[in-house]
Amino acid sequence: MHSHFFRLLSLSCFASAIAAVNLVHAEKADRDKPVILEAEKVSVNDVKQIYDLNGQVLLIKGSIIVTGEEGHITVDPEGYEFIDVKGTPDTVASFRQRREGLADEYMHGKGSKVTYDAKTELLTLIGDASLKRSLNMQMLDQLHGWKIEYDDIMQYYRVIPPADAKPEDLPLARAVLSPRRKATLEK
């Protein structure tokens, strides 16, 4: 049991250390872009800055694209969005964002639920979650697990198992990380 959690902790620390080497952040221009919402049904409370979306949800804000079946967006007094989008048993919720710097570097994520906090730049993917970083259509890093957190400011990945995880459920987290030297030289 202890070796199982040690492996998960090691994987999390390893992914964090590798990710910290790359100093590219999310597209900063996204902050000043308007939010475009599409869905079968949209409910807007302009006073409280709350938006509810149902059916074929599509949210676009600059290079950020979020899709799913049900969405809830809250805008704080400073103008930062908190996005919460869910999929269905048949479809997943997804997230994609261009990264600052190189023209074709993106973060792609999916799961049964996607949350994104624009103020803290924290992306959370829950339920059979995956997160990939690509450059020029080439996959560099891939993570898979029950819950994935990606902090774009700190350049930190973390894969978290379900609370009721058992050692026989191994592997609960999986990561494929590209060598940073090669990825850095190609830039």
Side-chain angles (χ1 to χ4, degrees):
M1 181 91 167
H2 293 295
S3 66
H4 161 69
F5 288 106
F6 179 73
R7 278 180 52 184
L8 288 176
L9 178 63
S10 297
L11 177 61
S12 178
C13 292
F14 179 69
S16 300
I18 294 296
V21 174
N22 187 1
L23 298 177
V24 178
H25 297 282
E27 181 85 356
K28 298 306 175 206
D30 289 341
R31 290 182 191 166
D32 300 322
K33 301 289 184 187
V35 176
I36 300 167
L37 304 173
E38 289 185 15
E40 292 172 5
K41 180 181 173 188
V42 178
S43 172
V44 177
N45 182 330
D46 213 20
V47 173
K48 293 184 178 181
Q49 293 287 289
I50 296 172
Y51 308 88
D52 289 309
L53 303 97
N54 290 1
Q56 297 185 21
V57 171
L58 172 64
L59 178 143
I60 302 171
K61 181 177 172 77
S63 73
I64 297 172
I65 300 173
V66 182
T67 65
E69 281 300 312
E70 183 181 323
H72 181 80
I73 299 132
T74 305
V75 182
D76 74 10
E78 297 174 54
Y80 291 102
E81 297 89 3
F82 181 79
I83 300 165
D84 183 1
V85 175
K86 298 175 186 166
T88 66
D90 299 325
T91 62
V92 295
S94 69
F95 176 93
R96 183 183 118 161
Q97 183 176 29
R98 182 182 176 279
R99 293 172 54 94
E100 189 77 32
L102 301 173
D104 290 323
E105 186 172 9
Y106 289 88
M107 294 301 291
H108 313 263
K110 64 181 181 176
S112 59
K113 180 178 178 179
V114 172
T115 63
Y116 180 71
D117 185 331
K119 185 173 189 173
T120 62
E121 295 186 34
L122 180 66
L123 171 68
T124 304
L125 308 160
I126 300 171
D128 195 22
S130 68
L131 180 66
K132 299 175 183 178
R133 184 173 67 90
S134 66
L135 176 61
N136 297 325
M137 302 296 288
Q138 177 184 355
M139 235 19 95
L140 297 179
D141 297 332
Q142 301 177 50
L143 294 117
H144 185 83
W146 179 77
K147 179 179 180 181
I148 299 172
E149 292 179 345
Y150 174 63
D151 182 330
D152 189 51
I153 294 171
M154 300 301 294
Q155 297 292 292
Y156 178 81
Y157 303 123
R158 185 165 81 158
V159 181
I160 302 166
D164 60 352
K166 298 173 183 65
E168 60 268 15
D169 294 335
L170 289 174
L172 294 173
R174 179 182 200 86
V176 178
L177 304 169
S178 295
R180 287 301 184 248
R181 183 175 186 277
K182 180 181 177 190
T184 304
L185 291 175
E186 290 176 356
K187 295 179 183 179

